[in-house]
Amino acid sequence: MSSFRPQLWRIPEVADADRLRLPELTAALHARLQEIAARFPQAVLASSLAVEDMVITDAVCRLKLPIRIITLHTGKLNPETEALIAATHARYQTELAVFHPIAADAEAFEQTYGAAAMYESVELRRRCCHIRKIEPLNRALADAPAWLTGQRRSQSDTRSELAFEEQDGARGIAKFNPIFDWEEADVWAYAAEHDVPLNDLYRQGYPSIGCEPCTRPVKAGENIRAGRWWWESKDSKECGLHK
């Protein structure tokens, strides 16, 4: 029996060229965040606790901007992700507002379809995402004039047309992607430069992290979102938060 194990994705090493780009990128990020805060006081950063969102969180806190930071606890998070919530509170001395799914709805879904329903069809997986992510986000953004995400164009095919500013038609508010044009190396360079708190799953081969049942490590060289809903077509790999 072969004992071969594929090499997993690793956190990219920061090259000198990435460090040289960082001051310009950081200045642009600060300018974008200051513009958002000026136009939309009390805008909301919906943090997934991914490295991209942690970069934006770091910048918001450094600039002391009036941007609220929220996160979603789906009830299906890895322990490492839960630990990052506490680490973020401690590092930045700020309370992330944590939104949970409606317990009765989550329980009813599992009782009706089973705990593994997300693997049975895209429809059931998206219904689970709606209960655990979209409905809580809707509550979090109910009074927000605008919201921010950590999405980047190079993350996946479904995000290749991202712009800095969009209109969230469903909610009738502005939506911003402050690092939409950053490359993966840029994100890790910033995180290293500022010692940003990170999810320990990154050190275990997870370049993109969601709920525990729907996320797995990826092989070196694979798309960084290959471990999200890996049993589905790449064209369906969104939970609906950014639809």
Side-chain angles (χ1 to χ4, degrees), residues 44-56:
V44 170
L45 167 60
S47 173
S48 68
L49 303 171
V51 61
E52 288 85 0
D53 297 286
M54 295 305 298
V55 163
I56 299 172

Side-chain angles (χ1 to χ4, degrees), residues 158-176:
T158 59
R159 298 181 178 180
S160 61
E161 301 299 323
L162 273 177
F164 165 56
E165 181 174 355
E166 303 175 295
Q167 182 66 20
D168 184 338
R171 299 181 180 92
I173 60 176
K175 179 180 178 183
F176 294 91

Side-chain angles (χ1 to χ4, degrees), residues 103-223:
D105 292 348
E107 291 168 5
F109 179 85
E110 290 203 355
Q111 288 175 358
T112 302
Y113 300 106
M118 69 284 294
Y119 304 124
E120 296 179 13
S121 71
V122 174
E123 179 187 358
L124 284 176
R125 194 271 293 168
R126 286 178 172 165
R127 288 174 70 175
C128 184
C129 288
H130 184 90
I131 291 168
R132 296 186 179 277
K133 299 175 76 173
I134 298 172
E135 190 282 330
L137 180 65
N138 288 342
R139 279 187 277 120
L141 299 179
D143 298 320
W147 67 297
L148 293 71
T149 87
Q151 294 185 107
R152 296 185 295 104
R153 285 178 174 172
S154 62
Q155 285 174 319
S156 69
D157 293 341
T158 59
R159 298 181 178 180
S160 61
E161 301 299 323
L162 273 177
F164 165 56
E165 181 174 355
E166 303 175 295
Q167 182 66 20
D168 184 338
R171 299 181 180 92
I173 60 176
K175 179 180 178 183
F176 294 91
N177 307 298
I179 58 171
F180 74 102
D181 52 352
W182 284 33
E183 297 298 328
E184 183 183 20
D186 302 326
V187 175
W188 290 106
Y190 184 104
E193 178 72 17
H194 297 287
D195 192 26
V196 175
L198 297 175
N199 195 320
D200 194 58
L201 289 175
Y202 286 120
R203 299 176 181 87
Q204 300 174 40
Y206 291 73
S208 181
I209 304 164
C211 292
E212 187 278 331
C214 299
T215 311
R216 70 176 183 181
V218 306
K219 299 174 186 176
E222 282 189 293
N223 183 278

